[in-house]
Amino acid sequence: MGFTTVTSEFQLSVSSDMKNLAVIADFITAVAEKLGLDEDETFALQMAIDEACSNVMEHAYRGRVDGEVFLRVQAVDDEVVITIHDQGEPFDPHSVPRPDISAPLHERHNGGLGLYLMEKLMDSVEWKFDPERGNMLTMRKRRGKPTI
């Protein structure tokens, strides 16, 4: 049985206003710099987190700006662990069909590309819903591992 070591932890809480995506992006850039992440790792985090948070704001809170989006970024052993928590509408990732990226553009359906991107950019993506605690998204990215 191994132990995990959290060497750094950073937290941010913002309202569910889409304008706060810029605040989140600045936060992630600063955290990535403090953790010594390279350009590709920083880009992967930025893209995945931006997609996740914009989905929370647009879908979980249905555009309301009075919700809260809570982010926690931790350096755990050789991974960066991102947790995004909200109290919006429950989210079931299985309800969103994954895109057929091999289909011609004119035959593709709208939706699902953001989830696909998150899953490709990160090493793991996991959703949980608890009626009392809300939606919890946990994404993990191993440091030093090439992205896509």
Side-chain angles (χ1 to χ4, degrees):
M1 181 169 163
F3 291 95
T4 58
T5 304
V6 177
T7 56
S8 299
E9 180 172 308
F10 306 90
Q11 297 182 8
L12 175 70
S13 181
V14 297
S15 73
S16 56
D17 189 328
M18 285 287 210
K19 294 176 190 172
N20 285 324
L21 291 174
V23 174
I24 294 168
D26 290 345
F27 169 73
I28 296 305
T29 299
V31 168
E33 188 175 305
K34 288 179 182 175
L35 295 178
L37 301 182
D38 67 26
E39 213 173 288
D40 289 341
E41 292 166 328
T42 301
F43 177 78
L45 290 182
Q46 288 282 15
M47 290 293 291
I49 292 168
D50 184 75
E51 184 60 39
C53 290
S54 61
N55 281 346
V56 166
M57 293 171 182
E58 182 178 349
H59 301 294
Y61 287 117
R62 301 190 184 275
R64 290 186 3 245
V65 297
D66 62 342
E68 181 184 33
V69 181
F70 176 78
L71 284 87
R72 181 176 63 217
V73 181
Q74 296 175 302
V76 180
D77 297 329
D78 67 341
E79 289 183 316
V80 177
V81 179
I82 300 99
T83 305
I84 301 171
H85 179 243
D86 70 81
Q87 294 286 329
E89 295 290 320
F91 175 66
D92 174 11
H94 303 294
S95 69
V96 179
R98 295 307 187 263
D100 178 2
I101 60 167
S102 63
L105 282 176
H106 66 279
E107 293 179 13
R108 294 185 194 180
H109 300 283
N110 288 338
L113 192 56
L115 298 181
Y116 171 82
L117 252 174
M118 290 164 49
E119 291 168 345
K120 289 296 178 191
L121 291 168
M122 305 303 285
D123 292 313
S124 75
V125 179
E126 186 180 311
W127 285 271
K128 290 181 185 171
F129 175 76
D130 179 300
E132 292 180 20
R133 298 185 65 216
N135 295 300
M136 185 88 61
L137 167 62
T138 304
M139 299 186 287
R140 296 174 180 273
K141 179 77 176 154
R142 264 183 283 144
R143 296 195 252 187
K145 182 182 177 213
T147 301
I148 304 188

